[in-house]
Amino acid sequence: MASASNESINTAMGAQEWALLILLSVLWGGSFFFVGVAVTELPPLTIVTLRVALAAAALWGIALAMGLRPPTSAKVWLAFAGMGLLNNAIPFALIVWGQTQIASGLASILNATTPLFTVVVAGLLLPDERATPLKLLGVALGFIGVVVMLGVPSDGGSSSILAQLAIIAAALSYAFAGVYGRRFKAMAINPILVAAGQVSASTLIMIPMTLMTEGAVNLTAPSLETWLSVLALAVLSTALAYVIYFKLLASAGATNLLLVTLLIPVSAILLGSLFLNETLGLVHFTGMALIALGLSAIDGRLWRRWVVAKA
């Protein structure tokens, strides 16, 4: 994978990249609300399949309107398939299965291990994203912040070690996807085409998987509210989100990009406070502060200035 992208990236993100990362966390944090509405009337894998299929349609519509054309190279489409497998099909299926047996809060905490895996995987496979003690400290602080903010849910009787391992395996898959996706910068493919190609490949993978496990679903039964949620999930939390994802991946790298998994719980909790009248407590602000401290350590600039000032 290291040879897939020999162009260096900005290990310290600028203001624009931080803004895009925060926007991405809001889009993916909002997906929990949309899924929560849709899952009351549709099976989980059906939601995933509709999500990627509708996102693919939206992205190809945008691409064609911009005058972009689908790549014709088999090598490029094979790369799209690999990305779709690592970034959607495998982790989506593992997370959905895992959440049938463990609490969603615990699943969120386990999913927040993604940056930990990414620091290791990217450090081993990408020469310009080597792990540093400051990055490792930052990821550890951020992860502790997530645990503090969400709490550690009780296992209960339905919890399963295998289900927890499934969520961790999904996080590892996301880490490999972040590293694998760096190859698209070297291929000089527009981020919209990369996003469209990935979700198209994911759709082709998910359709047979969904039909085998859930069968055909009556799509006329769900309410308008459910369909609006699915549409928002596809257009905002998938199509738009993946355009930002691949743009950030090309400029900021896998390690910085997957910090978004630490920010998603912050976005989800803030959105719940703003729109669902949920209350924020001291524990939430403490967790957010730890996450902010961790992010600043991974970015490194403020910490390096502090060291220079102390010297």
Side-chain angles (χ1 to χ4, degrees):
M1 287 187 187
S3 62
S5 177
N6 51 20
E7 297 182 51
S8 63
I9 46 85
N10 300 318
T11 55
M13 293 190 291
Q16 181 181 2
E17 289 162 329
W18 276 110
L20 288 174
L21 190 76
I22 292 168
L23 176 58
L24 183 59
S25 76
V26 172
L27 292 171
W28 278 345
S31 69
F32 290 101
F33 171 76
F34 301 135
V35 168
V37 173
V39 80
T40 59
E41 295 189 278
L42 289 170
L45 290 185
T46 297
I47 294 171
V48 172
T49 304
L50 289 170
R51 175 181 184 176
V52 292
L54 292 172
L59 285 165
W60 284 121
I62 294 170
L64 294 174
M66 293 176 61
L68 301 172
R69 295 294 178 263
T72 56
S73 167
K75 179 182 178 182
V76 171
W77 279 99
L78 188 61
F80 287 161
M83 193 65 183
L85 191 66
L86 289 171
N87 210 33
N88 292 152
I90 290 175
F92 284 1
L94 288 171
I95 289 171
V96 168
W97 179 79
Q99 283 192 248
T100 63
Q101 301 186 54
I102 63 174
S104 60
L106 178 56
S108 298
I109 291 172
L110 294 171
N111 186 58
T113 59
T114 299
L116 296 169
F117 287 122
T118 305
V119 167
V120 176
V121 173
L124 290 173
L125 299 179
L126 297 175
D128 58 348
E129 294 198 48
R130 297 300 184 201
T132 64
L134 195 56
K135 276 188 177 181
L136 294 172
L137 173 63
V139 171
L141 285 171
F143 181 69
I144 292 169
V146 172
V147 175
V148 168
M149 188 169 58
L150 297 178
V152 180
S154 174
D155 275 352
S158 62
S159 178
S160 158
I161 293 297
L162 285 177
Q164 294 177 51
L165 290 175
I167 306 295
I168 292 173
L172 181 60
S173 186
Y174 281 135
F176 274 104
V179 173
Y180 185 90
R182 282 283 306 277
R183 67 189 58 223
F184 294 113
K185 181 180 181 180
M187 291 178 176
I189 303 174
N190 187 290
I192 292 177
L193 289 179
V194 178
Q198 179 209 238
V199 292
S200 297
S202 302
T203 302
L204 295 175
I205 293 168
M206 291 302 304
I207 286 173
M209 185 187 302
T210 302
L211 290 174
M212 284 189 296
T213 56
E214 296 177 351
V217 175
N218 180 8
L219 297 180
T220 63
S223 65
L224 177 62
E225 184 182 41
T226 293
W227 277 113
L228 288 175
S229 296
V230 170
L231 190 63
L233 184 65
V235 175
L236 299 178
S237 298
T238 309
L240 177 58
Y242 274 129
V243 172
I244 296 171
Y245 174 97
F246 286 109
K247 182 177 176 60
L248 274 171
L249 184 59
S251 64
T255 302
N256 285 329
L257 170 62
L258 292 176
L259 297 177
V260 73
T261 57
L262 296 177
L263 286 170
I264 286 172
V266 177
S267 297
I269 287 175
L270 289 176
L271 287 170
S273 174
L274 290 171
F275 298 108
L276 300 177
N277 297 318
E278 296 174 354
T279 304
L280 290 176
L282 178 62
V283 68
H284 298 114
F285 290 107
T286 302
M288 290 178 198
L290 284 168
I291 290 171
L293 187 63
L295 292 174
S296 71
I298 293 169
D299 182 64
R301 284 174 290 185
L302 290 176
W303 292 61
R304 284 190 288 270
R305 289 173 190 168
W306 180 75
V307 170
V308 171
K310 294 284 286 185

